[in-house]
């Protein structure tokens, strides 16, 4: 420790380069440019910059960046300088006194024939006849390869005229090079004696009182902290949460959707979907091998569903087929979250009726061919409203209110078919970013054949609509292939760096 309690560093800590900088500043006040300073002393400039940064970290010096712009040869130009000259000179030298055809020239110089011939003709070094495969002959006896001379001059850091530089730049034979050097002057802690300020307050300093005269390194409060190694939300989760908040704002309750495995009864039969429907085939649905069948179903409700399928009721004639219990008990990976809606509505019917608004957002599974817009698993957003006296106008109104919160105010509806809704409508919205109408969802009013067996009062109507979660997410994040959004091929950097979700700007 020195007398004034500044900690002296070991002699090997400082290189001669740093000592030379401090001595020069002590005598001259500043280093005007670190580039010439390094060249004159035989220093590598990068090593000198490292020394300057170390000195500046202790405030021995201060530095300012100096930017220098120069020109350098491209890789193509380097080949010409090291080889046979510019393309036009190579082409001229390849033409014998008796001449040769253009096709022969292209075979002889495949890399430079085209550009070289064009430049040589422009300089009137060559001439050609009007044949289909023209004969090329020399128009002058000798040439001066000015392009080669200019390139060598630039390589040797000699001055060149602006017109020459512009011509070479257009031909992509030179490129701008920006380099940085530093102007260096004395800092607030400048000294020629190399010392290092203390960085820690020790118990020894406190006990002896030496901390009072010790020089401490200043804290850099502008320094960035260490990045937090925490978790990151997937884009789908961000958009999912935004949709949940919209439903909550509209007064909806969230349904419990923690059943990926569902019986065919709740997924199909309770929705008045016939057992011969193509969606129930293995090429559209994943059937469970174990457990293959559901253990229990509400017997009285099952019987009413069976009757509605076979013979109908309340004005419906049903589907007129033999409904099979073994088909209804088959376990599957649910193909839509409406399987949850059917179960929730049945439980709602077991008590005195109260109007309800429900929603769900969760994963569903379909045996589909994988491509840029389809996966075997995806997420479905669904909303249902149960009340008396509801009409198609109410459905269109609440859909309009829902999509308005997504920033989509212009809607159109197209008649459609669903086994469990009547009427049914596809939903289209005008998307300003695409400047066209795009399909955004499906909707309808649940059929009496679905609701009456549940035990809901005859005057109760249930409105429903749904859409996928992946499509609005892909639109928001500019993703073209769904496999770049969801699955094992997604880039982890996409999850870490994706921006916040604003559904009102969908």
């Amino acid at each position: 420790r020195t007398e004034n309690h500044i900690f002296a560093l070991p002699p090997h800590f400082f290189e001669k380069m740093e000592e030379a900088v401090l001595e020069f500043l002590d005598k001259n006040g500043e280093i005007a440019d670190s580039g010439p300073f390094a060249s004159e002393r035989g220093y590598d400039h990068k090593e000198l910059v490292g020394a300057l940064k170390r000195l500046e970290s202790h405030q021995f010096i201060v530095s300012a960046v100096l930017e220098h712009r120069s020109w350098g040869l491209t890789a193509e130009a380097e080949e010409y300088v090291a080889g046979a000259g510019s393309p036009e000179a190579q082409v001229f030298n390849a033409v014998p006194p008796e001449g040769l055809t253009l096709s022969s020239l292209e075979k002889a110089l495949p890399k430079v024939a085209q550009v070289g011939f064009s430049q040589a003709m422009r300089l009137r070094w060559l001439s050609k006849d009007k044949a289909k495969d023209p004969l090329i002959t020399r128009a002058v006896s000798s040439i001066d390869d000015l392009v080669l001379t200019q390139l060598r001059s630039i390589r040797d850091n000699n001055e060149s005229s602006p017109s020459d530089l512009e011509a070479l730049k257009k031909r992509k034979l030179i490129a701008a090079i920006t380099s940085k050097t530093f102007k260096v002057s004395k800092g607030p802690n400048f000294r020629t004696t190399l010392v290092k300020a203390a960085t820690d307050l020790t118990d020894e300093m406190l006990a002896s009182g030496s901390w009072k005269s010790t020089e401490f390194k200043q804290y850099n409060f502008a320094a960035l902290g260490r990045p937090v190694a925490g978790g990151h939300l997937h884009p789908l989760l961000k958009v999912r949460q935004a949709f949940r908040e919209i439903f909550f704002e509209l007064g909806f309750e969230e349904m419990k959707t923690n059943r990926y495995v569902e019986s065919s009864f709740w997924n199909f039969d309770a929705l008045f979907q016939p057992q011969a429907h193509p969606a129930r085939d293995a090429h559209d649905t994943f059937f469970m091998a174990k457990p293959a069948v559901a253990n229990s179903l509400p017997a009285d409700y099952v019987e009413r569903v069976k009757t509605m399928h076979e013979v109908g009721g309340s004005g419906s004639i049903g589907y007129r087929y033999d409904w099979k219990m073994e088909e209804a008990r088959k376990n599957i990976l649910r193909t839509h979250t409406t399987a949850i809606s059917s179960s929730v509505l049945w439980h709602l019917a077991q008590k005195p009726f109260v109007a309800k608004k429900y929603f769900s957002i969760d994963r569903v599974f379909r045996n589909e061919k994988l491509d840029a817009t389809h996966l075997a698993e995806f997420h479905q957003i669904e909303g249902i409203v149960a009340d008396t006296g509801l009409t198609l106008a109410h459905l269109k109104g609440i859909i309009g209110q829902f999509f308005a919160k997504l920033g989509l105010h212009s809607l159109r509806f197209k008649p459609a078919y669903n086994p469990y809704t009547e009427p049914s409508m596809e939903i289209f919205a005008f998307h300003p970013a695409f400047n066209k109408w795009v399909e955004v969802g499906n909707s309808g009013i649940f059929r009496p054949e679905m609701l009456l067996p549940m035990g809901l009062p005859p005057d109760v109507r249930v409105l429903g609509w749904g859409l996928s979660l992946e499509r609005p997410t892909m639109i928001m994040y500019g993703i073209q292939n769904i496999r770049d959004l969801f699955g094992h091929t997604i880039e982890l950097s996409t999850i870490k760096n994706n921006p916040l979700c604003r559904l009102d700007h969908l």
Side-chain angles (χ1 to χ4, degrees):
R1 185 183 296 134
T2 60
E3 290 184 356
N4 62 353
H5 304 294
I6 296 176
F7 287 85
L9 294 172
H12 64 270
F13 183 86
F14 290 100
E15 299 179 3
K16 291 182 179 180
M17 197 179 297
E18 292 156 315
E19 295 175 347
V21 169
L22 295 176
E23 289 176 3
F24 187 89
L25 290 175
D26 188 47
K27 293 179 182 179
N28 301 281
E30 72 172 13
I31 298 174
D33 192 327
S34 61
F37 181 87
S39 300
E40 292 166 4
R41 289 158 180 78
Y43 297 156
D44 180 277
H45 190 260
K46 290 184 179 179
E47 293 181 1
L48 176 62
V49 170
L52 295 178
K53 295 300 181 185
R54 288 192 291 272
L55 292 172
E56 192 165 22
S57 68
H58 299 290
Q59 297 188 326
F60 291 171
I61 64 169
V62 292
S63 65
V65 176
L66 303 174
E67 288 196 356
H68 306 274
R69 184 182 175 89
S70 59
W71 295 95
L73 303 188
T74 63
E76 179 185 354
E78 292 281 6
E79 291 183 9
Y80 299 153
V81 172
S86 67
E88 50 265 44
Q90 293 184 50
V91 167
F92 180 85
N93 294 329
V95 177
E98 66 275 13
L100 83 170
T101 61
L102 181 58
S103 59
S104 299
L105 177 63
E106 290 173 344
K107 290 180 181 178
L109 299 172
K111 289 185 177 181
V112 300
Q114 186 174 2
V115 63
F117 176 68
S118 175
Q119 292 293 329
M121 291 294 292
R122 183 182 64 82
L123 295 169
R124 298 184 180 180
W125 290 354
L126 301 174
S127 60
K128 65 174 183 176
D129 61 20
K130 297 182 179 180
K132 185 175 182 180
D133 186 9
L135 179 68
I136 311 300
T137 55
R138 294 185 178 185
V140 296
S141 58
S142 63
I143 60 168
D144 184 9
D145 193 353
L146 293 178
V147 169
L148 179 61
T149 303
Q150 293 165 1
L151 293 177
R152 286 174 175 169
S153 177
I154 292 171
R155 180 196 60 186
D156 299 335
N157 296 319
N158 295 324
E159 291 289 332
S160 299
S161 68
S163 59
D164 290 343
L165 292 173
E166 186 63 27
L168 294 173
K169 179 182 174 184
K170 286 183 177 180
R171 292 183 63 175
K172 298 183 180 180
L173 297 178
I174 60 173
I177 299 174
T178 301
S179 59
K180 293 181 180 179
T181 57
F182 297 88
K183 179 181 179 181
V184 184
S185 55
K186 297 177 181 179
N189 294 338
F190 178 80
R191 56 175 60 86
T192 56
T193 304
L194 300 175
V195 294
K196 182 181 180 182
T199 57
D200 295 310
L201 179 65
T202 66
D203 54 355
E204 182 185 351
M205 294 178 189
L206 293 173
S208 64
S210 62
W211 62 271
K212 297 178 182 178
S213 55
T214 298
E215 181 178 335
F216 291 93
K217 184 178 179 181
Q218 291 186 354
Y219 284 102
N220 180 8
F221 292 104
L224 296 176
R226 181 178 297 176
V228 178
H232 302 271
L233 287 176
H234 191 282
L236 278 173
L237 293 180
K238 290 184 177 181
V239 179
R240 178 181 181 274
Q241 181 58 29
F243 271 108
R244 291 181 74 238
E245 291 173 0
I246 288 176
F247 277 113
F248 288 138
E249 289 174 9
L250 295 174
F252 282 69
E253 299 177 37
E254 188 167 16
M255 294 182 278
K256 292 183 179 180
T257 56
N258 53 348
R259 293 204 310 268
Y260 288 169
V261 176
E262 189 60 87
S263 70
S264 293
F265 176 79
W266 291 112
N267 197 88
F268 297 120
D269 295 275
L271 300 178
F272 195 58
Q273 193 160 333
Q275 293 183 338
H277 195 281
R280 301 178 69 154
D281 292 340
H283 67 270
D284 281 329
T285 301
F286 292 108
F287 287 85
M288 298 294 296
K290 185 178 181 180
V293 296
N295 293 329
S296 62
L297 295 170
D300 55 343
Y301 178 42
V302 169
E303 191 61 34
R304 292 195 297 270
V305 169
K306 175 184 177 182
T307 301
M308 186 62 75
H309 277 248
E310 291 184 340
V311 299
S314 300
S316 172
I317 63 172
Y319 288 116
R320 301 296 180 93
Y321 71 99
D322 292 330
W323 187 89
K324 295 180 174 60
M325 184 63 179
E326 57 269 25
E327 190 70 27
R329 291 183 62 205
K330 290 181 180 179
N331 282 333
I332 63 170
L333 291 178
R334 67 182 180 208
T335 63
H336 49 192
T337 53
T338 316
I340 300 296
S341 301
S342 64
S343 176
V344 168
L345 289 172
W346 176 75
H347 282 91
L348 179 64
Q350 307 316 300
K351 303 174 184 177
F353 178 74
V354 178
K356 288 287 186 178
K357 293 188 288 187
Y358 295 110
F359 81 93
S360 64
I361 307 174
D362 210 341
R363 195 173 301 185
V364 297
F365 308 86
R366 294 181 188 173
N367 192 4
E368 294 188 345
K369 182 180 179 181
L370 307 185
D371 57 32
T373 57
H374 295 85
L375 290 177
E377 54 181 309
F378 57 95
H379 295 77
Q380 183 175 332
I381 303 168
E382 182 168 338
I384 61 174
V385 179
D387 201 352
T388 59
L390 295 178
T391 66
L392 192 65
H394 292 100
L395 176 61
K396 295 173 70 175
I398 197 166
I399 290 174
Q401 192 175 12
F402 176 81
F403 281 99
K405 289 186 174 291
L406 306 182
L408 302 174
H409 300 277
S410 298
L411 299 181
R412 287 178 178 173
F413 300 91
K414 177 183 175 182
Y417 170 76
N418 290 315
Y420 46 89
T421 59
E422 179 62 37
S424 305
M425 302 183 298
E426 292 177 349
I427 309 167
F428 293 82
F430 184 80
H431 201 296
F434 300 153
N435 196 32
K436 66 177 183 180
W437 292 90
V438 295
E439 184 178 356
V440 293
N442 213 323
S443 65
I445 301 178
F446 287 149
R447 296 176 65 135
E449 292 97 328
M450 171 186 166
L451 302 180
L452 293 176
M454 293 178 176
L456 288 169
D459 59 344
V460 169
R461 299 290 180 268
V462 180
L463 314 178
W465 76 97
L467 63 153
S468 75
L469 179 62
E470 280 75 7
R471 185 168 189 186
T473 304
M474 292 172 68
I475 292 174
M476 287 189 62
Y477 287 93
I479 297 172
Q480 301 299 320
N481 193 321
I482 194 171
R483 288 167 288 198
D484 296 331
L485 171 70
F486 188 69
H488 66 282
T489 61
I490 186 172
E491 292 284 346
L492 291 179
S493 59
T494 303
I495 299 176
K496 293 180 179 180
N497 302 321
N498 63 82
L500 295 174
C501 171
R502 286 282 303 276
L503 282 182
D504 57 334
H505 289 75
L506 180 62

